[in-house]
Amino acid sequence: MLKHLLIKNYALIQHLEIDPSANLNIITGETGAGKSIMLGAVGLLLGNRADTKSLLDESSKCIIEGQFDIKEYQLEKLFDEEDLDYAPLSIFRREISPSGKSRAFINDTPVTLDILKKLSTRLMDVHSQHETLHLGKHNYQLAFVDAYAGTTALRQAYRSKFQAYKKALQKLEALKKENAEVGKEADFNNFLLSELTKAELKAGEQEELEASLEVMEHAEEIKTKLNESLATLSDGEFAAISGLQQAKTLVSQLKTYAKSYESISERLESTFIELKDIINEIEKEEDSVEFDPEEIQITQERLSLIYSLQQKHQVSGISELLEIQADLESKANRFNNLDDEIQSAEAEVKQYQEAAQKEAEALSQKRQKVFTALEKELKTLLAQVGIPDASINITNEVVALGDHGIDQVNILFSANKGIAPQELSKSASGGEFSRLMFCVKYILADKISMPTIIFDEIDTGVSGEIALKLGDMMKRMAENHQVITISHLPQVAAKGSKHYFVFKDNTSDKAISKIKALDEEERISEIAKMIGGDKPSETAFQSARELLQVTS
């Protein structure tokens, strides 16, 4: 439960602190004094979005901090899942800087808004006038029925099966989409693949062909120059090989005279051997060079095919063409296998759908079993809050599998005798709607583990004896939950264990909201003003005392 609330620099609030009672806390004050602003600040602790417009002083940061006693609510596992330090008295804090940057902390550890929301919504349930509108929505009504029916385990089982079904369905849809896309390109891709396969491309082939063609196209020039080289090196009286042979013989005769001559002789021998090898290589090259017009044409045609394929696929080498060929082969294989994969995925979808349908039907049956009891309990509570002729009828329409099962629950309501129940959006006035919502919250309080429940003027449109009964019901709720309620009714205000008064302080240049806990005399005075206006009569004071005596 909430032990301490601090609000600094938020809207009209400069600095506000309260230490609410563990039971029923009443907040009163004039319209516009800032009561609902407090709820806006509490909403920040629940993970609501905020901006710099929330700042009273735009040069300072806004701080909202709540200290919660959580030792009885088994939240250790949740803290551990989020890697947070658990403490029986935990501090939730939200800060908004002048630049608009928002930060959240739990026990001084920075957290995301999602984590803050995940934990704080386990500690507080804030009912605002806006939330009353949610009661007319089918999902809210279904959640109410689920809380009453205690379907937590069944909903989790269904959710698991439904998620598996959705995942299988998404996989099937992705395969069908892929099949359609690949199918559109299949004929063209197969043509391209056939063209590349038929070409029988080989890595390095282009370079070899280009080099070979270069030689064949210049065969006459090459042959002539190779023959001239051979003549210079090996033919005739003055051939290089003859001169080298003669020099080698002469120097060889000098080896016995000095070591240096022996070295020169060896080098000449080595050069002679190398030159002979060169001559042999030139002879082989000369023999291999042949002008063959037919072979030139074949090579040119092969290169022309390669260049054409490169231009078509906008690449510059055979290696890239081979990569494209491999990719086209992969796509062709993929297309050929997709039918089998789709068939398998369809079987999987059917399997998961049937499992989810089974869980959904079990969940639906458990929900429908409580309709009668829930209708009866709501009618009883509505009679207590001044709608004795209320009619409640809970209907259900079976729909396709969805996030919440196969049920679309609809709570039909009539406040008047002889009028058939209708959808909530059409049947209830503002005051009746508020009282119906209060009855819903009253029932939920016993069904969910919610430490703190906050009401924002849920007693709108109520007065007299009904207001007393509403206050009594809040007091009973507060026996097991911490309840904080903003109210304009003296009958409700008198029921509180602790009474806070919100007021505007206009002593400075800018009006600010302040709050104070009222002592016994101040409380009598405030309730008297709620009864008789700013200048209450003695009768109003007497009525205030009587209300407080009845309460005590």
Side-chain angles (χ1 to χ4, degrees), residues 368-386:
Q368 292 180 62
K369 281 182 181 179
V370 304
F371 284 1
T372 301
L374 182 53
E375 289 168 353
K376 184 178 179 181
E377 188 165 348
L378 274 172
K379 285 176 68 175
T380 300
L381 291 173
L382 285 166
Q384 292 180 34
V385 294

Side-chain angles (χ1 to χ4, degrees), residues 195-211:
E195 196 174 42
L196 288 168
T197 303
K198 187 178 178 180
E200 297 181 341
L201 300 170
K202 297 179 181 65
E205 178 184 9
Q206 180 179 347
E207 292 77 7
E208 291 177 6
L209 288 171
E210 287 172 341

Side-chain angles (χ1 to χ4, degrees), residues 248-266:
K248 180 173 75 74
T249 302
L250 292 171
V251 173
S252 176
Q253 295 170 0
L254 303 175
K255 288 193 296 184
T256 56
Y257 300 129
K259 279 277 186 184
S260 58
Y261 302 145
E262 184 179 355
S263 174
I264 292 171
S265 176
E266 289 173 355

Side-chain angles (χ1 to χ4, degrees), residues 156-215:
Q156 288 176 346
Y158 167 74
R159 186 73 177 168
S160 174
K161 296 289 192 301
F162 180 68
Q163 289 298 328
Y165 163 63
K166 276 183 68 176
K167 190 174 180 180
L169 195 60
Q170 289 168 356
K171 177 184 174 183
L172 174 60
E173 289 171 351
L175 285 171
K176 286 182 174 179
K177 183 179 179 182
E178 182 185 359
N179 191 47
E181 291 173 351
V182 172
K184 289 177 185 176
E185 303 173 355
D187 290 342
F188 182 59
N189 285 343
N190 285 336
F191 168 75
L192 293 177
L193 177 59
S194 174
E195 196 174 42
L196 288 168
T197 303
K198 187 178 178 180
E200 297 181 341
L201 300 170
K202 297 179 181 65
E205 178 184 9
Q206 180 179 347
E207 292 77 7
E208 291 177 6
L209 288 171
E210 287 172 341
S212 177
L213 182 62
E214 183 75 11
V215 170

Side-chain angles (χ1 to χ4, degrees), residues 38 197 333 424 428:
M38 289 177 58
T197 303
N333 292 333
L424 294 177

